[in-house]
Amino acid sequence: MGNLMGIWRYKEPSTVEECDSTWETDSESDEHQPGGEEEDSGISESMSPADALRGAEQLDHGSPQFGDMMESSTRVKRSYYAAKDLYKYRHSYPNYKEPRQPNEYRNLRFYLNKIPLVPDGIYIEEILTKWRGDYEKLEHNHTYIQWLFPLREQGLNFYAQELTQDEIKEFQSTREAKRRFLLAYTIMLDFFGIKLMDKNGNVARAPNWQDRFQHLNESQHNYLRITRILKSLGELGFESFKLPLVHLLLEEALVEGTLPNMRHSALEYFVYTLRQHAQRRALLRFAQRHYQPPENFIWGPPKKKRIPASGSTVMKAGKNEVVERSVAKARSPREGRNNLEREVDDMDERKSGEWKTAKGPMVLQEVRGRVDLEEYIETIPL
């Protein structure tokens, strides 16, 4: 009877609008959730084989994940597949059946250097010590990314196993696994032409950014990798690292013009990996100010006016203004500083009257070799 009631209660979203709660009113989206995070809505099924097939078709070159879909000929439309996929991710795949017993933590064992990735037979330490800067290998090998950045969904490498909720908890409590995960993240950032700046996940252009950005703009299958990396950051305890990376990519795509082919993927996929409504709204408002032609921007708020109903709503509006202002005033990607989350936190602290002692940023200087990088990673509290 309980299962029957569950089926009656929860409905699979059937439109993009049902999948996207970004522009709901504050009372609907933020007040019920600490930090404005989306709650488990109880989707009654995981991605079906038919969904997976449609997704694979959309992920071919020329799909919404690759470029701008010929905006001049037809008006761009939101991808229902993308919206539904990210809706499920943000809601932690509710009612998803775990695929195996909890004692088979293959992703964790891989990161503890106990088993190699399959089918290549490569251990994580070999990747961390020998693959950094080997851009040919990172570009053309298509089996490692599912092991380096695991998710609770099946990827193209069917030897890689999905994460389970229990494995996620164990991974997040294992310092050695998290240390290696951050090293893997810096290797991929370097591959993209980006460097990690501090313990908050702030990023900036790397010294090799010109060549790497040119490659990234042309090699658009890497946009799929970025989507996976962002999702995996959120699963394994680094949700706060998403915002600086997505903001940098949006700025490069829309303001600096170095990654013009990325702008649709950044807006359709990258932004929607963020679980907090306020962060997604701030990024989309930033993007809307720079998007050309402006009439083709399809990710903005609904065209309707909302009148604040209470003082709490006014306070929420003030918080959103701070978020938007911070994005607008964010420094150049060359400087690598993004104070967005700090200003949101300050607004929350002013509201509650509780101020925390600010700590200076731990800025990563120019990395020269694996030793310096590991020493830096050791300073990050895991």
Side-chain angles (χ1 to χ4, degrees):
M1 185 65 178
N3 292 337
L4 183 58
M5 292 298 293
I7 294 174
W8 287 343
R9 179 179 179 184
Y10 301 120
K11 181 182 178 181
E12 183 82 9
S14 58
T15 65
V16 170
E17 291 73 22
E18 290 177 0
C19 294
D20 184 7
S21 61
T22 302
W23 300 106
E24 289 179 353
T25 64
D26 291 331
S27 60
E28 291 173 329
S29 61
D30 287 353
E31 291 183 353
H32 298 299
Q33 305 289 331
E37 296 180 357
E38 295 192 16
E39 63 182 342
D40 188 329
S41 65
I43 297 178
S44 60
E45 61 183 32
S46 60
M47 187 180 297
S48 66
D51 286 335
L53 179 60
R54 285 193 294 271
E57 292 172 351
Q58 287 197 356
L59 295 180
D60 289 337
H61 290 279
S63 72
Q65 181 83 335
F66 296 98
D68 279 334
M69 299 177 60
M70 303 175 62
E71 291 184 29
S72 59
S73 59
T74 58
R75 182 166 178 81
V76 180
K77 294 182 179 180
R78 294 282 304 276
S79 164
Y80 169 63
Y81 168 79
K84 181 179 177 182
D85 172 67
L86 294 166
Y87 175 90
K88 290 183 176 183
Y89 165 76
R90 293 195 306 271
H91 291 77
S92 299
Y93 307 95
N95 293 349
Y96 180 70
K97 294 181 180 180
E98 301 291 10
R100 59 193 170 282
Q101 297 298 316
N103 61 350
E104 299 178 4
Y105 299 149
R106 294 193 65 189
N107 296 290
L108 178 58
R109 292 174 65 201
F110 168 70
Y111 260 101
L112 293 178
N113 209 44
K114 293 182 178 180
I115 62 172
L117 68 82
V118 182
D120 295 352
I122 302 170
Y123 285 83
I124 182 67
E125 273 302 305
E126 180 178 348
I127 295 175
L128 297 181
T129 55
K130 298 180 180 180
W131 286 33
R132 183 179 180 86
D134 190 341
Y135 300 142
E136 286 296 317
K137 183 171 291 184
L138 292 169
E139 172 66 23
H140 297 295
N141 186 306
H142 298 288
T143 59
Y144 71 89
I145 198 73
Q146 292 86 5
W147 286 86
L148 284 190
F149 300 98
L151 301 175
R152 293 186 62 209
E153 58 189 62
Q154 182 64 57
L156 295 179
N157 181 353
F158 288 93
Y159 293 104
Q161 290 188 336
E162 306 99 311
L163 286 168
T164 65
Q165 291 178 320
D166 289 334
E167 186 175 17
I168 288 172
K169 293 177 183 177
E170 189 70 21
F171 195 108
Q172 292 183 1
S173 63
T174 306
R175 178 181 176 83
E176 185 65 12
K178 294 182 71 176
R179 181 187 71 84
R180 286 191 172 115
F181 180 80
L182 280 182
L183 287 170
Y185 180 53
T186 63
I187 287 175
M188 293 308 298
L189 287 180
D190 176 73
F191 173 64
F192 299 139
I194 301 169
K195 62 181 178 180
L196 181 66
M197 296 296 291
D198 58 38
K199 66 179 181 179
N200 299 314
N202 289 309
V203 290
R205 290 174 173 176
N208 63 347
W209 71 270
Q210 288 180 306
D211 290 340
R212 299 316 303 163
F213 279 11
Q214 181 178 352
H215 173 80
L216 186 58
N217 190 57
E218 297 170 354
S219 181
Q220 297 174 22
H221 75 92
N222 282 300
Y223 304 169
L224 301 175
R225 292 174 167 179
I226 293 173
T227 301
R228 169 173 279 273
I229 290 169
L230 288 165
K231 287 181 176 181
S232 192
L233 285 169
E235 297 286 31
L236 296 178
F238 296 94
E239 177 74 22
S240 63
F241 279 41
K242 296 179 185 177
L243 181 63
L245 178 58
V246 177
H247 180 266
L248 173 67
L249 294 175
L250 281 173
E251 188 162 13
E252 294 294 347
L254 298 174
V255 181
E256 301 295 329
T258 56
L259 298 170
N261 291 336
M262 182 183 283
R263 65 176 189 168
H264 193 92
S265 291
L267 289 165
E268 192 80 336
Y269 289 82
F270 304 168
V271 169
Y272 289 94
T273 65
L274 276 72
R275 291 190 169 106
Q276 293 190 19
H277 300 79
Q279 291 181 349
R280 296 201 301 274
R281 286 196 292 265
L283 288 170
L284 291 174
R285 287 190 173 113
F286 168 79
Q288 189 170 24
R289 286 194 292 270
H290 300 283
Y291 194 91
Q292 295 296 329
E295 63 271 15
N296 281 0
F297 189 84
I298 57 175
W299 301 272
K303 296 181 179 180
K304 62 180 181 179
K305 296 182 178 179
R306 295 186 304 223
I307 301 176
S310 65
S312 62
T313 304
V314 173
M315 177 59 73
K316 291 288 182 179
K319 177 178 177 180
N320 290 339
E321 290 176 3
V322 170
V323 175
E324 295 162 31
R325 186 167 62 253
S326 178
V327 170
K329 295 182 179 180
R331 298 182 184 180
S332 160
R334 298 177 184 84
E335 300 177 3
R337 302 299 303 144
N338 188 326
N339 295 321
L340 181 58
E341 287 191 325
R342 185 179 297 113
E343 290 196 33
V344 175
D345 291 340
D346 288 348
M347 172 62 79
D348 289 336
E349 290 163 353
R350 286 195 293 273
K351 181 179 177 181
S352 64
E354 299 175 358
W355 288 85
K356 300 178 181 178
T357 303
K359 297 181 180 179
M362 300 169 57
V363 177
L364 173 63
Q365 302 300 326
E366 197 74 30
V367 175
R368 298 182 178 87
R370 171 175 155 76
V371 175
D372 290 345
L373 182 60
E374 286 200 340
E375 289 177 354
Y376 166 68
I377 295 296
E378 289 292 344
T379 66
I380 299 179
L382 300 177

